[in-house]
Every structure is written in structure tokens, then in C-alpha cells.
Amino acid sequence: MQFSNYANRFSANSGTVQLMDDLGSAQRASGPVYMLGGGNPAHIPEAEALFKAEMLKLVEDNNAFGKAIGEYDSPQGNTAFIRALAGLLQQRFGWQVGPEHIAITNGSQSSFGILFNVLAGEFADGSFRKILLPLTPEYVGYSDVGIHEQPIFEGHKPSIEKLDEGFFKYRVDFDGLNIDERYGAVCVSRPTNPTGNVITDGELKELARRCEVAGVPLIIDGAYGVPFPGIVFSQATPVWNENIILCLSLSKLGLPGLRTGIVIANPALIQIIKNANAINSLAPGRLGPALVTAMIEDHSLLSLCNDIVRPYYADKVLRVIDMIKELIPDIPVRIHKPEGALFVWLWFEDLPIHCHALYQRLVAQGVYVIAGHHFYPGLDEDWRHKQECIRVNYAAEESVVRRGLEIIAEQVREIYRTQA
Ligand code: PLP
């Protein structure tokens, strides 16, 4: 069978495909597996119990259930859900958001597939605009969504602040960060996958200001962020205006199976997303909105974030940091200050081998993490730091995380001992 050039986009060499394939092969592995890769959120019993109760209510309501599974939604997404969300955003944050500012997609990944291609690429004036990522490492899932042969990302190196007690933090390096008409949009994940960094309120304000001046939209990927799921342990004020495109998702609340993404943006862009939904998939899925609309209406979704989801991860990450310090006291590892999301980002300074080789050694022991070099979309320059980090998802059961970290410690110790 022959495929068109379009099929090149779906080449098996794409970083995202390889990472998802790894998850599949881990599931098929015969020995013990310590899954610290992937982006699955934790199974939080209290959160799952609440979702189950909402699901039971839905199932018992014949009319609502029949509609949720038996009828296509509007291509913009479920009207009741959109209205409820607009109301919540107005009341809680005073944002001038109406239903015309919100569209639903089949998960944030789908949102980015639309957004990056409508904001970057070839323009009518002959220009080719890119998406500027002002701080890489950044989410690997962005890498392969561009439909153009030409790369659509330009990634920038951060400045690194070394902190006490073996921590460090990336900061946006504003020197040399010129935001102008070369870019179709600027994009940051906040908190950031893979590092758990939270771009500070000050940094975000400055990015938003520069974007506004240049007339370039700022995309804030809030998959882990505010207002929900709110997996943030530092200060992060929710922000939105008509030049900001805020992307949210139900996934990291514990509902990745429902594939529900949300875009909050100016009405012209929302119309394009609505049309793209109609053309690509007729309508976004209906079950996610049906499940959580009542929780948005009575604001209990925000209580779930504040009282259950955030404390769960905040508590767990502290225990994981303690484990790392206990297990790896003799190795030059620095941990990115854990400010949010589900990951710890470990930097092995002057690691004698490439992090991909470390990753392969870990896979041979049944430990799945993600090698750090994948997380630099659009940053092609040689930078040793790219080879020195790994991402560890700490959402798994604590015993699994502990055993995985023990194996990482053994392997890294061995590498420093024999290859330094
Ligand atoms: N953005 C970030 C930063 C992510 O980590 C993920 C998933 O891991 C996504 C977006 C996509 O999430 P979903 O498509 O499940 O909404």
C-alpha cells in the first residue's frame, strides 16, 4: 500500500508515538514493571468516588443519559457545560467570558492540533510564522502536531537558578526574547510538563505584556493548572484576556478517558475551533461535559481541586522528594523545584552517558521514565543539559515509585562509578 506525503506526519519516528508505544510495550512486558513514564494522573479514591456518584446520577436520569450517549453535541461543545463554565469564570475571576469565548474539544491534545496549525504556518502575505516556546524544556506532545514540512516551533533556553538543598528552577530568559510578527503565537504550559515548573505571575505578566504589544496571542496550557485541576503548589494567579488562549482539560482531574479539552479564547478563534470540530469529528465527545456540568454549576469542581486533588499531589511530591534524598544522597542530582503537575524532573549534572542510554538501561530493569532530550521542541542547538535530565511521573502507587527510584539510584550510581 502506498501513502501520501501526509502520512509522513504519522511516522513511527515521532517522539510522541514512541513514547505512547513505550507505554504499550510496558503493559506487555513479562517481568515486573515500574511505570514512571506517561502522563496518567493518579487514581485518587475520593475523586473517583465523586465522579462515580455523578455518573450514577447521570445513568439514572433517563433523559440526560439518553442525550449524553445518544445524540451528537453542537460542534462548539455542550451548551449547558459552556454556559456553566462561563458563569463560573465570570463569578470567580471577573473575566468577561461568555459562551462565545469557549469551545470544547476531544482533549487538549486535539486543541493544540487545531491551534498550532491555525496560528502557525503559511500566511496569506507569504510569511511563515512559528510558535515561540519561551521556556524549554516544554511538553513533548506539541512536537509533532504541525502539518507543515517546515518546523513550526522555536524553543528558547531558560536561565537556571541553582537553589539550596539540591533544587533548581528554570526561569524565562527575557534577554534576547523578541516577540514580534515572526510568531503566530507564544505558548507555555503552566505548570510545565515535564519539569513541574510554574512560570511565575511576574514572568507571565511580562510575557502577556510583550505579546499584547506585538499583537501575538499567548497560549497558556493549563492542563495541570488553574482554575482546574489546580495541581499547583506555588502561587499561580489565573489570568485571561482576549489576547490569551487558555487551554484546559478534564484529564488531570482524573478523567483522561473522557477526552475533554476546553479552549477559552476570543470569539473569532472559537468559531474556527467549532468549524474544525465539525469537519474533523462532527462534534466533541459529550460524556465529559455531561459528567461535570453540575459540579461546575455549584462550584464543587473547584472544591474538589482545592480540597482533594491538590493536597493529594502536594503531599505525595514531598514524600517522593524525601525518597529521592534518602536513596540518592551520594549522586550529583538536582531536582527541579516541584511547583506543580505530576512529575519530578531530575538533573544529573555531568551525567557521563546520554539520558537516552540511561533510559534504555532503566527499561531493561523494568523502569519506565522519559528521557529528557525529548522535551525541547524547536531548540536544536547543542546543549549538554538536554542529555542530563529525566522525567519521573510520581502519580503511581507509592511502592511502585519507591522501587522505581531505587533502581534509578542503583543504575545512576553505577554509571557515575564506572564511566566518570
Ligand atoms: N498539555 C500538557 C502539558 C500535557 O501534559 C498533556 C497530557 O499529558 C496535554 C496537554 C494533553 O492532555 P489531554 O489531551 O488529555 O487533555
Side-chain angles (χ1 to χ4, degrees):
M1 198 180 289
Q2 299 219 328
F3 298 116
S4 71
N5 292 346
Y6 177 71
N8 297 341
R9 274 193 71 205
F10 305 120
S11 119
N13 294 329
S14 117
T16 316
V17 173
Q18 279 178 10
L19 298 176
M20 293 310 281
D21 278 354
D22 268 3
L23 297 189
S25 50
Q27 278 164 13
R28 292 189 300 275
S30 48
V33 164
Y34 306 95
M35 177 43 75
L36 312 180
N40 272 335
H43 290 275
I44 306 176
E46 296 92 326
E48 285 190 354
L50 273 173
F51 294 135
K52 192 170 172 184
E54 290 301 317
M55 187 65 96
L56 288 173
K57 277 190 226 161
L58 180 65
V59 169
E60 274 157 21
D61 180 337
N62 282 339
N63 182 34
F65 180 69
K67 282 192 169 153
I69 65 159
E71 292 177 19
Y72 291 112
D73 226 329
S74 131
Q76 190 180 336
N78 187 264
T79 308
F81 176 84
I82 288 176
R83 278 216 190 99
L85 183 59
L88 177 129
L89 298 173
Q90 285 162 17
Q91 282 168 37
R92 280 289 173 120
F93 309 115
W95 298 348
Q96 300 298 307
V97 169
E100 68 280 13
H101 291 98
I102 300 177
I104 308 305
T105 64
N106 290 316
S108 264
Q109 191 68 21
S110 305
S111 311
F112 291 111
I114 303 168
L115 288 172
F116 289 153
N117 286 306
V118 305
L119 296 169
E122 285 155 20
F123 280 67
D125 63 2
S127 62
F128 188 95
R129 297 190 199 177
K130 291 190 169 189
I131 304 291
L132 173 66
L133 305 174
L135 195 166
T136 55
E138 183 54 280
Y139 175 47
V140 60
Y142 299 153
S143 307
D144 302 306
V145 303
I147 55 169
H148 297 272
E149 291 279 304
Q150 229 172 305
I152 59 162
F153 292 104
E154 182 178 309
H156 276 237
K157 265 163 75 171
S159 58
I160 296 181
E161 189 183 346
K162 289 188 173 171
L163 305 170
D164 291 343
E165 297 176 33
F167 291 104
F168 73 107
K169 178 170 168 63
Y170 294 121
R171 292 194 183 272
V172 179
D173 187 356
F174 282 102
D175 292 342
L177 190 75
N178 297 318
I179 299 176
D180 54 33
E181 69 289 343
R182 285 171 301 160
Y183 306 108
V186 173
C187 176
V188 290
S189 61
R190 184 187 198 230
T192 307
N193 174 357
T195 57
N197 187 32
V198 171
I199 293 198
T200 62
D201 281 353
E203 286 171 319
L204 196 63
K205 203 168 168 190
E206 180 57 15
L207 283 174
R209 189 192 67 78
R210 291 191 187 196
C211 283
E212 186 105 43
V213 170
V216 173
L218 172 63
I219 302 173
I220 302 175
D221 176 356
Y224 304 90
V226 285
F228 56 82
I231 310 175
V232 175
F233 321 130
S234 61
Q235 167 66 26
T237 307
V239 285
W240 183 82
N241 62 43
E242 291 244 354
N243 198 48
I244 290 178
I245 302 164
L246 178 59
C247 296
L248 299 174
S249 166
L250 298 185
S251 294
K252 311 300 171 175
L253 277 169
L255 300 170
L258 292 181
R259 312 304 304 127
T260 306
I262 300 155
V263 181
I264 304 160
N266 75 55
L269 182 57
I270 294 303
Q271 279 300 316
I272 291 178
I273 293 174
K274 173 185 163 190
N275 298 349
N277 278 343
I279 290 167
N280 293 333
S281 46
L282 302 184
R286 220 176 151 143
L287 209 48
L291 190 74
V292 300
T293 297
M295 298 178 77
I296 290 187
E297 277 166 352
D298 67 8
H299 294 200
S300 61
L301 192 81
L302 296 185
S303 316
L304 166 69
C305 300
N306 289 330
D307 303 340
I308 295 174
V309 176
R310 186 193 7 252
Y312 177 91
Y313 287 106
D315 193 47
K316 192 156 186 187
V317 78
L318 289 181
R319 290 202 301 281
V320 170
I321 297 295
D322 283 347
M323 272 182 217
I324 295 171
K325 293 195 165 171
E326 175 202 327
L327 295 168
I328 321 188
D330 52 335
I331 292 169
V333 61
R334 280 188 178 272
I335 307 168
H336 192 283
K337 190 174 172 212
E339 298 179 311
L342 333 165
F343 313 107
V344 282
W345 178 249
L346 303 180
W347 173 20
F348 299 105
E349 282 187 275
D350 301 322
L351 184 69
I353 62 172
H354 193 289
C355 57
H356 181 65
L358 168 59
Y359 160 82
Q360 286 173 317
R361 286 177 69 136
L362 293 174
V363 168
Q365 304 295 317
V367 178
Y368 286 79
V369 297
I370 303 208
H373 66 292
H374 291 293
F375 295 95
Y376 296 86
L379 184 74
D380 298 329
E381 72 174 83
D382 262 351
W383 181 31
R384 202 168 190 285
H385 186 78
K386 292 203 293 194
Q387 311 171 13
E388 295 180 341
C389 301
I390 59 171
R391 191 197 80 176
V392 174
N393 179 331
Y394 65 83
E397 254 177 55
E398 203 154 313
S399 59
V400 172
V401 177
R402 185 174 181 92
R403 184 63 196 130
L405 287 170
E406 277 168 5
I407 295 172
I408 294 172
E410 282 159 25
Q411 290 296 317
V412 175
R413 189 173 295 116
E414 177 73 7
I415 291 165
Y416 277 108
R417 195 178 61 76
T418 55
Q419 310 207 19

